[in-house]
Amino acid sequence: MADDESTAKKIFTDVRVIVMLALVIFSILSIYVLPPAFDKGVEGNIQLGLDLQGGSWVQLSFQSEVVRFSSPTMSADALAQKIWDKAGIEAVAVSDDKIEIRKLLTQEEVENLFNEIGDVKLVAYTQGVSKETADDVKRILEDKVNNLGTQDAKINTISGSNNVATYIRIELAGTDISTAQDLVSSQGKFEIRIVTEGNETAHVLYGDSVTSVSRPSQSPPGSGSWGVAFTLSEDGAKALRDACIQYGATKEPEKHYLNMYLDGEQVYDAPLSSDLATKLLTGTVNDLRASTGMGDDGLEKAQVLEIHLRAGALPVDVTTAGLGSVSAQMGDYFKFVCIIAALLALGAVGVTVYLRYHEPSIVLPMLLTNIAELIILLGFSRYVQQLDLASIAGLIAVIGTGIDQLIVVTDEVLHEGKVPSPNVYLKRFKRALVIITVAAATVIFAMVPLILMDLSTLKGFAIITILGVLVGVIVTRPAYGKIIMAILSKKPAKEISSDSKDE
């Protein structure tokens, strides 16, 4: 009894074991208590993908192209302006020799347009959008999803090797196809109002008067002051001028704020600049700029404001390239199969370890450490990753790789069937940690491309696998080393079998 108490004391007073147990408790609290989620079943707060919960997915194709050109006299910005002047098609510069044409044209049509402009030659043609535009589209869709409270959503762009995004895929767990399509195509109600006096405001114009919205930029360039430029139609510019004159904003601009609302919620407010007020006294102004502040905070606010000014409209047209759904019943079936697969994996691991060592005091700590690792992973995934079938596959893979590394630790520290002296033990244990750290680094390097290559169906697998490797190397392997030392140090040599040999 005294030996058991001493062993337990050695285990539960070690800082590595305490850290592991603390993370297990934190993970359980995250899943079920922060916030309370006892009514959500076994998954608690864990976000389930549409594979496990049921839902819909929509894949959109961008109606645009990125082209490379050559011209001895014309810059990318100049060519974009020429395209607008010649054909009334919006185009933006991507790099010194690339532009994005925001209307779907065939390669032949682009060549004909360049011939009409003159002094420019088409070098390469790829349907899709630039990475910057794809990020804008993703941000706008994420904003829509968040505004509707649809948190269980995954939005991923699909790009080729030339960094041109061709598709964007939206997965909405618990959402039917009709709602998913409406979400993609819907626009909000955007309104600008002017402060008249006190807290009173008056309507100025709606979002249909905003004809174009530019990307966030610094003005002057390099100043660090961010903002969003936008253009009003003639009617919108006249409505703005009339309101500013009527309510005295041209005389006292600092007292008359322009407030912007999206679906009734205020998203921006700022007074007129004195320069704009002076210009409005003499005529209408179509080109406006909303300043959002300095530095990273100003950039973030500018990116959000750009979305609001567009009222949820995407910068390029899209068409549905594919859609589908998973029924809730099928999701329940997948959940059941995943649970069975995880239990079978744990059972198979337990039998394999027992056949190797024939010692329950080794098998039980290994399995409990593996289970602790899974709980920690599930707790972390509650914050960083939806659980879909690919993520579950990553969890099951972690069970196998985790046990493999625990076997490496066990074999390294055993010496003629028992734990050696503390100095030899530490030497062997450090050697084991070096081995599993190198193996972990190899796994991480193998998984990183799956995260970076826009393979949305495999990204969850890669993220969970990397998290599992990091949790194992940093937390559970060191804790297991202490546990196994405390347990095996009191065992006679004849009780334990191992293939390890002393140096």
Side-chain angles (χ1 to χ4, degrees), residues 190-194 202-207 210 230 232 240 258-261 288 309:
F190 181 80
E191 180 185 17
I192 295 180
R193 300 180 67 86
I194 188 170
H203 169 75
V204 178
L205 55 88
Y206 288 113
V210 179
F230 60 100
L232 298 179
L240 175 63
L258 286 181
N259 296 350
M260 300 182 185
Y261 298 84
L288 302 176
L309 282 168

Side-chain angles (χ1 to χ4, degrees), residues 88-122:
I89 299 173
E90 183 182 3
V92 295
V94 176
S95 65
D96 292 340
D97 63 346
K98 283 184 181 180
I99 61 169
E100 175 185 288
I101 303 175
R102 293 182 167 178
K103 181 179 179 180
L104 185 59
L105 303 175
T106 65
Q107 183 171 340
E108 183 180 358
E109 288 172 331
V110 174
E111 289 175 341
N112 291 337
L113 179 59
F114 283 4
N115 290 334
E116 292 179 17
I117 293 173
D119 204 26
V120 60
K121 180 180 179 181
L122 178 65

Side-chain angles (χ1 to χ4, degrees), residues 293-450:
M294 303 288 291
D296 292 340
D297 184 59
L299 172 59
E300 184 177 347
K301 290 179 179 177
Q303 290 172 334
V304 174
L305 179 59
E306 179 196 359
I307 295 172
H308 295 325
L309 282 168
R310 295 184 188 279
L314 302 181
V316 296
D317 289 336
V318 294
T319 185
T320 301
L323 51 85
S325 64
V326 177
S327 67
Q329 292 83 357
M330 186 62 71
D332 289 338
Y333 171 74
F334 287 150
K335 279 192 283 188
F336 173 76
V337 170
C338 288
I339 292 173
I340 295 299
L343 292 176
L344 288 175
L346 281 172
V349 163
V351 171
T352 303
V353 173
Y354 183 79
L355 291 176
R356 177 177 178 81
Y357 295 105
H358 302 286
E359 177 53 55
S361 62
I362 293 179
V363 177
L364 191 59
M366 277 192 181
L367 290 180
L368 290 179
T369 302
N370 220 208
I371 292 171
E373 188 173 319
L374 288 177
I375 294 173
I376 293 171
L377 272 178
L378 289 172
F380 284 176
S381 69
R382 175 253 193 274
Y383 298 102
V384 301
Q385 173 65 34
Q386 271 189 6
L387 283 188
D388 52 17
L389 290 179
S391 301
I392 296 296
L395 286 173
I396 295 175
V398 165
I399 294 176
T401 58
I403 286 293
D404 182 52
Q405 293 177 0
L406 295 179
I407 289 175
V408 170
V409 172
T410 305
D411 282 354
E412 281 294 323
V413 301
L414 282 176
H415 175 75
E416 294 181 354
K418 63 179 180 179
V419 175
S421 64
N423 288 337
V424 176
Y425 171 81
L426 289 176
K427 179 181 178 181
R428 286 171 166 266
F429 182 54
K430 288 179 181 178
R431 186 167 65 184
L433 287 181
V434 169
I435 293 172
I436 64 176
T437 300
V438 172
T442 302
V443 172
I444 291 174
F445 287 135
M447 291 295 108
V448 166
L450 297 182

